[in-house]
Each structure stands twice: as C-alpha cells, then as structure tokens.
Amino acid sequence: MSFTLQPIRVATGFDEEGMMVLDEEQRLVAVLVRLSDENEVAPGQWYLEAGFGRIDGTSHPIFSNLDMAQDWISQRVAKGS
C-alpha cells in the first residue's frame, strides 16, 4: 500500500512539524508529529499524534523515520482488508 505524505503544522504546543498521511484514495488515515531535537524521550523521531479508522486506538507509537511509520500504518490498514 502506498501513502501520500503532506507536510502540515500541528498545534501541539511544542512540536509543530507534522505530516498528514493519506491513503491511495486520498483519505486521511493518520497525523504524525516530529518530536523536537530537545525532546527528552525520543528526539527527532516521529510520533503518531492521531490515527483514523483502523489506525485509531490507544497505541501511539514512536518511529525512528517516516518509512517505519508508513510500514506500521500499512500493516494496520491491511488487517482490515
């Protein structure tokens, strides 16, 4: 499954660099936020701020890069197919 990543600012109060993740039908499936380099837990990594549909849930993982995030999202979407 392929996704379109679209940069967006996210009003989290501290980490604003974000990416909207759109599926092949251009539906919003997730919003990722890049944690700042000053973040004490996972500097520079990507956090699942919000998920929709099969991505929605209590799990909000952190990914070292956008490819890993897309792989994780793809696995969740595929489970519903």
Side-chain angles (χ1 to χ4, degrees):
M1 173 168 285
S2 64
F3 299 102
T4 300
L5 299 178
Q6 190 170 20
I8 190 166
R9 290 180 60 203
V10 182
T12 63
F14 35 91
D15 301 316
E16 291 190 352
E17 180 183 349
M19 283 289 174
M20 292 190 305
V21 182
L22 308 170
D23 69 9
E24 294 166 338
E25 297 177 31
Q26 295 301 294
R27 296 177 299 190
L28 181 62
V29 295
V31 175
L32 302 168
V33 172
R34 184 182 173 279
L35 301 174
S36 73
D37 291 332
E38 290 80 35
N39 182 287
E40 295 178 7
V41 177
Q45 296 193 24
W46 290 89
Y47 171 73
L48 177 67
E49 185 71 36
F52 306 96
R54 299 221 173 262
I55 313 303
D56 187 20
T58 58
S59 177
H60 291 265
I62 294 173
F63 308 98
S64 59
N65 59 55
L66 290 172
D67 288 336
M68 291 183 73
Q70 289 179 84
D71 288 345
W72 184 87
I73 292 168
S74 185
Q75 291 172 11
R76 297 307 177 280
V77 171
K79 286 183 180 181
S81 300

